[in-house]
Amino acid sequence: LSTHKVRTYGYRYPHPAVAADIAIFALREGELAILLITRKEEPFCGMWALPGGFVREDENLDACARRELLEETGVDAPMLRQFANFSEPERDPRERVISVAYLALLQSDRIKPQAGTDASAVGWFRMSAIPPLAYDHGTIVEAAIRSLRDLLDDPDILFNLVPERFTLSQLQSAYEAVLGRPTDKRNFRNRLLSTDLLRETKDLERGAHRPAMIYERARH
Amino acid sequence: LSTHKVRTYGYRYPHPAVAADIAIFALREGELAILLITRKEEPFCGMWALPGGFVREDENLDACARRELLEETGVDAPMLRQFANFSEPERDPRERVISVAYLALLQSDRIKPQAGTDASAVGWFRMSAIPPLAYDHGTIVEAAIRSLRDLLDDPDILFNLVPERFTLSQLQSAYEAVLGRPTDKRNFRNRLLSTDLLRETKDLERGAHRPAMIYERARH
DNA sequence: CCAAAAGTGTTACTCGTACACCCATGT
DNA sequence: ACATGGGTGTACGAGTAACACTTTTGG
């Protein structure tokens, strides 16, 4: 720890620190998973936590969340949405921190998580096996999954969990993984195909079964 | 202005100020109206603005919004809900302020607005006659009315605009005032009466017409 | 030929919306 | 009697949910 005199920022009244914390979801082996990091400093040193960081002077909160996500995962988020604030005075034992919580969805094959400045390890956890988390991040994750389920009726949200080109079965698997329960195949397909959000491609996905039509998002 | 040396609060990194701003709606003479104050300090001295204020060290954001509302209107909000954050770095010309925007609904007959410490005047404005506002408060008000319309399908929200005992016509007037358009009387009544949220009272409201049944919220 | 996943339609129910007339009171 | 707002029922269309079998490929 440095003992040099360092620049400080002074205010007439106490100011909280403001951070963006990001719940990043992706599908891993067919299950919904969340990206966590281990803290390498006190408090909660060594515990798992959501990635996130403090807002800078010259950026708004959306930019902060996007930057932190990029720093942690190397991926520019296709879908990043604010869903709640967490502001209990004692939620951080060191100083007061107000967290703006964001929800992000990624295609897991596009991510190579790398340990960054604030994290000594990065890992994916299935929703059924989330470890104890630092701060109130457990509460934030619960709120995030609830928000995600609410948003999922919008196909534009769902598309962010699958590759650019996908089969309807892949899309349905993603839907079911988030909701945590199976859904009817015919209803799902009828609903999606009755929108104008899908475009057939000329390609088929082959396997030890009947080939599946590959779709992509319609350009509007 | 005092020239005494005053206590300051120092931080290693810049911290934004955090405020709650509150869009308080009520019905006035059958129209939706919003409560505004005039600023009595720079910047935007003399302009109309949303009531609000900075979060204190020992309160969370909900408590901050409730306290500010109480200070401005003398009323404890029956319905107070966070709906968005505003965090552009330059939205306040003095120092960086992140605003957490709240929506409140009041019964206008229970309010006696009084000028407080930050305000030199307080007034209600019909939605069709909102003056130019300080900061980005015009944007906040637009977002607030959109959120309010989204929430209005929930009768629990709507009830906050009418007295404790009310007729169905009063309730429908409140609904129409927020939406800004008329709605069908039979559909409105069928919808409300098919819920278990209403209780008939034994009283009737009298006037130069057929008396109206007075309802109250069911206690669950 | 067998396993595995893709693909396909219809029915019932619920919910929202459109719509017009009679009723009870005060003046 | 008349003006004023209170009160009532039904029919249609849209969207959602339940439900089982055939098709096409690879191995």
Side-chain angles (χ1 to χ4, degrees), chain A residues 169 185-186 189 209-210 212-213:
Chain A
S169 293
K185 180 160 60 159
R186 278 170 294 189
R189 295 165 98 92
H209 52 78
R210 176 168 172 177
M213 176 64 67

Side-chain angles (χ1 to χ4, degrees), chain A residues 9-22:
Chain A
Y9 296 82
Y11 305 96
R12 179 72 184 76
Y13 297 101
H15 281 35
V18 175
D21 287 321
I22 310 154

